[in-house]
Amino acid sequence: QVQLVESGGGLVQAEGSLRLSCTTSRTVFVINTVTWYRQAPGKQRELVADMSGDANTKYADSVKGRFTISRDNAKKSAYLQMNELKPEDTAVYYCNANIWTPDHGSKDYWGQGTQVTVSS
């Protein structure tokens, strides 16, 4: 069973930076789309950034110019570089990846989430 493990969250002051990582727990064959979501208390989960298998990206308007999604296919990992953080970026951040394996074909997997807290 494929598992995604996020890391890199924490407490940071406004205007600071954090880099989130999302790694797989085992060797996987093909990672298609990778998406970062976040969910703030009392709010719905929202898409933050997305990268397709051919490296096309899209971002939520609220993070454009501040966040950058990237991936390292050799390391089977994805990243979210977050700069100029704002208190409204405070949320639990989740990694989602569509991964192909011989056992299950293409399937979506979720990480457990990592807390990002931005203080003013």
Side-chain angles (χ1 to χ4, degrees), residues 49-100:
D50 178 273
M51 177 176 274
S52 66
D54 55 0
N56 289 318
T57 59
K58 64 180 179 183
Y59 296 91
D61 288 342
S62 60
V63 307
K64 281 181 182 176
R66 300 188 298 122
F67 290 12
T68 303
I69 187 171
S70 62
R71 59 195 289 169
D72 184 331
N73 290 329
K75 294 183 178 179
K76 302 296 192 287
S77 296
Y79 308 96
L80 185 68
Q81 177 66 44
M82 305 186 295
N83 298 328
E84 300 176 30
L85 283 160
K86 304 176 181 180
E88 52 263 43
D89 294 319
T90 295
V92 178
Y93 284 71
Y94 297 91
C95 176
N96 171 279
N98 183 271
I99 296 173
W100 183 90

Side-chain angles (χ1 to χ4, degrees), residues 8 23 74 78 115:
T23 58
Q115 176 70 46

